[in-house]
């Protein structure tokens, strides 16, 4: 077998392969002999059909199958011989397929980029530290109470945070517009659910009262037919209900599945959850800074095949997340290209760090991570056992731990500064940069 390789770009390779005719004929004859043993042809007993008849009847199909298999096997042999690492399937261009002649074809494919990860010293990381103060815990308890707010009918004028049951009809230029009317809808004043001015215009209203609101839709309103237009809403208030926060009782605690009894027991469990969230938030922010640094200091070219595959994965995820009757391939690829490129590049860089530093998942850290996750459940021992009985889930945890070890490896050489902050600042999500 003859092989020659041409570098057509940084990652693309054009490999010409010639396979001796004898290898093809051997495969063709092997298939024809197998066919002869089971072929049923009128006038001949099974297994007694002359080879000339078998060749005439099945020769073309046997050759087609043989050529396909030989191309597949010879391509694999060639990339091993040339020490190439293809990223995706090759595009095959047949040159000579005639019987009795050597098989010649060209395989065009991309290879994984070859690089050494460097620049750890140029990466800067700000590592936050924080504690859950009693004030943070008190604020969280209030959040939990508000999340479980119930409303009771009040015989008074509406205030912000009250829930109103309303009927309304909206008109533009005197005509009722689609989606602008509803009956018996529940609206919490101050929630920002309606267009600006709608909720403010109902403050002070009482049950049974009708109000007419003249409002203007925002210029950037999602329905372009209404954007910037003036509308008249006739609103009837059916009921006014005031919010009632639940008391911190055993009944309230039971809603969260917490075994500990009493206020102090509840506070202890909530604090544990907050501390768990705090650890994860700090760890995540450090990891994101490390990954951003690795991207900045290690620019590499991305194989188109890997980028395309990642775009397809993100399309499927988007459809699964948002639902609807849309097919993944109907979503524009451009929507996902930037995110896909980041994922692919980071995947290649992380894999190279693992290889360069010969990293392997620390099984003690794997168990520690599983126990951390399990501690959020009522029966943590069962959760730990479940992970160790499911190889797929266990390997996913090992991958996360391995990524953490990559982060630790970078941090040993990176420029790290520690900063003490409040709990709220530590857990606050990082805002995405605004587009120009």
């Amino acid at each position: 077998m003859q092989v020659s390789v041409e570098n057509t770009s940084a990652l693309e390779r054009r490999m010409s392969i010639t396979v001796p005719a004898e290898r093809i004929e051997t495969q063709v004859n092997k298939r024809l002999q197998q066919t002869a043993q089971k072929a049923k042809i009128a006038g001949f007993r099974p297994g007694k059909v002359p080879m000339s008849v078998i060749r005439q009847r099945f020769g073309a199909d046997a050759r087609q199958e043989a050529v396909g298999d030989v191309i597949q096997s010879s391509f694999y042999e060639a990339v091993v011989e040339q020490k190439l690492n293809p990223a995706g399937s090759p595009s095959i261009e047949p040159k000579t397929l005639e019987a009795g002649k050597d098989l010649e074809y060209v395989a065009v494919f991309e290879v994984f980029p070859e690089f050494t990860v460097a620049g750890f010293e140029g990466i800067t990381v700000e590592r936050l530290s924080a504690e859950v103060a009693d004030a943070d815990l008190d604020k969280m308890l209030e959040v939990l109470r508000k999340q479980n707010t119930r409303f009771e009918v009040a015989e008074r004028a509406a205030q912000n945070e009250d829930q109103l049951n309303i009927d309304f009809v909206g008109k533009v230029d005197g005509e009722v517009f689609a989606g602008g009317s509803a009956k018996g809808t529940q609206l919490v004043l101050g929630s920002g659910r309606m267009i600006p001015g709608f909720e403010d215009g109902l403050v002070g209203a009482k049950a049974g009262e009708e109000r007419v609101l003249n409002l203007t839709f925002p210029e950037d309103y999602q329905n372009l037919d209404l954007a910037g237009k003036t509308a008249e809403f006739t609103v009837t208030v059916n009921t006014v209900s005031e919010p009632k926060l639940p008391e911190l009782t055993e009944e309230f605690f039971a809603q969260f599945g917490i075994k500990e009894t009493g206020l102090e027991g509840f506070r202890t469990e909530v604090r544990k959850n907050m501390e768990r969230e705090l650890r994860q938030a700090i760890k995540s922010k450090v990891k994101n800074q490390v990954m951003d640094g690795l991207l900045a200091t290690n620019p590499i070219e991305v194989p188109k095949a890997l980028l395309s595959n990642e775009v397809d994965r993100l399309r499927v995820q988007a459809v699964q997340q948002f639902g609807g009757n849309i097919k993944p391939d109907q979503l524009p690829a451009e929507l996902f290209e930037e995110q896909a490129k980041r994922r692919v590049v980071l995947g290649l860089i992380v894999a190279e760090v693992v290889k360069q530093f010969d990293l392997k998942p620390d099984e003690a850290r794997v168990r520690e991570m599983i126990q951390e996750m399990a501690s959020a459940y009522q029966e943590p021992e069962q959760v730990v056992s479940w992970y160790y009985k499911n190889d797929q889930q266990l390997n996913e945890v090992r991958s996360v731990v391995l990524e953490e070890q990559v982060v630790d490896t970078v941090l040993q050489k990176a420029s790290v500064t520690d900063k003490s902050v409040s709990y709220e600042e530590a857990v606050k999500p990082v805002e995405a940069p605004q587009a120009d």
Side-chain angles (χ1 to χ4, degrees), residues 21 23 113 121 124 136 181 200 204 282 426 432:
R23 180 168 171 177
E121 296 82 0
T124 58
D136 298 317
S181 303
D200 291 341
I282 291 174

Side-chain angles (χ1 to χ4, degrees), residues 137-251:
L137 180 56
D138 292 338
K139 189 176 292 187
M140 180 59 70
L141 293 184
E142 284 304 298
V143 169
L144 296 177
R145 291 178 70 199
K146 285 184 177 180
Q147 288 174 349
N148 289 272
T149 297
R150 56 186 174 82
F151 290 91
E152 293 181 357
V153 174
E155 300 298 330
R156 59 167 174 75
Q159 303 172 1
N160 263 331
E161 298 188 359
D162 283 350
Q163 184 182 74
L164 275 56
N165 183 286
I166 59 173
D167 304 334
F168 64 90
V169 177
K171 295 180 180 180
V172 171
D173 297 329
E175 298 291 330
V176 175
F177 60 90
S181 303
K183 281 187 174 294
T185 192
Q186 304 280 24
L187 175 65
V188 176
L189 299 186
S191 64
R193 208 181 98 198
M194 308 298 279
I195 65 171
F198 192 101
E199 294 165 28
D200 291 341
L202 297 177
V203 172
K206 294 182 179 180
E209 183 178 341
E210 180 180 282
R211 287 196 174 184
V212 177
L213 309 176
N214 291 297
L215 307 172
T216 301
F217 282 94
E219 293 292 343
D220 58 352
Y221 192 64
Q222 58 189 7
N223 185 337
L224 298 180
D225 293 333
L226 297 174
K229 290 188 176 180
T230 299
E232 180 186 271
F233 290 91
T234 302
V235 185
T236 300
V237 178
N238 300 319
T239 60
V240 175
S241 299
E242 61 184 352
K244 295 289 185 181
L245 296 182
E247 297 298 323
L248 295 173
T249 62
E250 297 295 334
E251 182 181 359

Side-chain angles (χ1 to χ4, degrees), residues 66 76 84 90 131 145 161 195 198 201 215 287 289 346 357 375 381 394:
Y76 174 75
L84 297 172
E131 293 182 355
R145 291 178 70 199
E161 298 188 359
I195 65 171
F198 192 101
L215 307 172
K287 176 183 173 182
Q289 291 177 79
L346 280 178
F357 292 87
S375 65
E381 300 83 4
L394 185 57

Side-chain angles (χ1 to χ4, degrees), residues 196-427:
F198 192 101
E199 294 165 28
D200 291 341
L202 297 177
V203 172
K206 294 182 179 180
E209 183 178 341
E210 180 180 282
R211 287 196 174 184
V212 177
L213 309 176
N214 291 297
L215 307 172
T216 301
F217 282 94
E219 293 292 343
D220 58 352
Y221 192 64
Q222 58 189 7
N223 185 337
L224 298 180
D225 293 333
L226 297 174
K229 290 188 176 180
T230 299
E232 180 186 271
F233 290 91
T234 302
V235 185
T236 300
V237 178
N238 300 319
T239 60
V240 175
S241 299
E242 61 184 352
K244 295 289 185 181
L245 296 182
E247 297 298 323
L248 295 173
T249 62
E250 297 295 334
E251 182 181 359
F252 178 75
F253 305 152
Q255 295 179 49
F256 299 90
I258 293 177
K259 290 181 178 180
E260 298 291 338
T261 58
L263 179 58
E264 284 310 307
F266 184 68
R267 287 175 66 90
T268 298
E269 289 302 311
V270 172
R271 185 186 289 274
K272 286 180 182 177
N273 288 333
M274 293 175 69
E275 289 172 343
R276 188 183 303 113
E277 179 188 14
L278 177 61
R279 287 192 296 271
Q280 289 302 321
I282 291 174
K283 190 184 295 184
S284 177
K285 287 179 178 179
V286 168
K287 176 183 173 182
N288 287 340
Q289 291 177 79
V290 167
M291 294 303 170
D292 287 343
L294 287 172
L295 282 172
T297 55
N298 293 275
I300 60 174
E301 193 165 340
V302 180
K304 295 184 182 69
L306 296 186
L307 182 59
S308 177
N309 290 340
E310 191 59 36
V311 165
D312 288 342
R313 270 193 287 271
L314 290 172
R315 280 169 160 167
V316 171
Q317 288 176 13
V319 170
Q320 290 173 342
Q321 182 177 354
F322 299 109
N325 296 322
I326 192 170
K327 294 181 180 178
D329 59 7
Q330 292 177 299
L331 295 172
E334 308 84 63
L335 290 176
F336 307 98
E337 281 178 353
E338 187 175 342
Q339 184 184 1
K341 184 175 181 180
R342 177 183 172 88
R343 284 193 180 189
V344 171
V345 173
L346 280 178
L348 294 172
I349 291 175
V350 167
E352 187 59 31
V353 173
V354 169
K355 178 182 174 184
Q356 280 181 217
F357 292 87
D358 193 26
L359 301 178
K360 293 178 176 57
D362 183 334
E363 291 302 326
R365 289 179 67 165
V366 170
R367 175 166 285 276
E368 183 181 335
M369 179 172 288
I370 291 174
Q371 289 173 336
E372 171 89 355
M373 292 186 292
S375 65
Y377 294 85
Q378 291 188 38
E379 302 291 343
E381 300 83 4
Q382 292 183 13
V383 176
V384 172
S385 176
W386 179 82
Y387 268 98
Y388 278 97
K389 289 177 181 176
N390 290 270
D391 288 342
Q392 182 179 347
Q393 301 296 328
L394 185 57
N395 287 331
E396 285 182 9
V397 177
R398 285 185 174 128
S399 296
V400 174
V401 167
L402 195 56
E403 275 197 3
E404 288 189 356
Q405 291 174 235
V406 168
V407 170
D408 291 345
T409 301
V410 175
L411 290 176
Q412 289 175 11
K413 296 185 179 180
S415 175
V416 182
T417 56
D418 292 299
K419 180 182 179 182
S420 295
V421 297
S422 66
Y423 168 81
E424 283 193 354
E425 185 175 347
V427 299

